[in-house]
Amino acid sequence: QCLLSGSWRSNSGCRMVVSVLGKDGSFSGSYLPGPATGDSEILTSPLEGSQQDAGLVSQPIFSFTVRWQLREAARTTAFLGQCYVGTKGEETLHALWLLREAADSPAEDWKATR
């Protein structure tokens, strides 16, 4: 059974720590980008999300957002994925993400999402 509580590390060295996992599947914690991002301006940032009921399915779907703590910019990232359990019981997260930066005007909107 996959439970998101605890510490997770990505292939690029980013770290997600889920410190609170509610009975309703909601969770919160913090996210810290790894050295691969090359952005020393990013601080540990809060995350909030929800996970499908792990009592109903062994490999639940989850989503969460990270509100980046930056010194001079506004960014939010949304993650959507699934937790998989391997044959030896190891848990792995697979996720897609979208990063949104604040745009100065509607004309700049096209380049604000990656």
Side-chain angles (χ1 to χ4, degrees):
Q1 177 176 338
C2 262
L3 293 176
L4 290 179
S5 58
S7 182
W8 299 86
R9 187 172 300 276
S10 74
N11 294 341
S12 63
C14 297
R15 200 174 98 200
M16 175 178 82
V17 178
V18 176
S19 53
V20 177
L21 184 58
K23 291 181 182 180
D24 63 352
S26 64
F27 61 89
S28 61
S30 58
Y31 195 92
L32 182 63
T37 62
D39 194 341
S40 61
E41 296 291 309
I42 300 176
L43 306 172
T44 299
S45 301
L47 67 83
E48 292 187 31
S50 64
Q51 176 181 345
Q52 187 179 15
D53 187 343
L56 297 176
V57 294
S58 61
Q59 301 184 124
I61 296 168
F62 63 87
S63 64
F64 64 93
T65 58
V66 175
R67 186 175 29 91
W68 297 105
Q69 300 296 308
L70 300 165
R71 293 186 177 93
E72 295 186 27
R75 292 183 193 161
T76 297
T77 301
F79 293 80
L80 178 64
Q82 187 168 357
C83 185
Y84 293 100
V85 180
T87 56
K88 297 179 182 176
E90 68 280 3
E91 298 172 334
T92 305
L93 304 181
H94 288 238
L96 298 173
W97 57 269
L98 285 173
L99 171 72
R100 175 67 189 208
E101 296 179 299
D104 292 330
S105 69
E108 300 292 313
D109 189 64
W110 67 273
K111 65 179 182 178
T113 302
R114 294 187 238 170

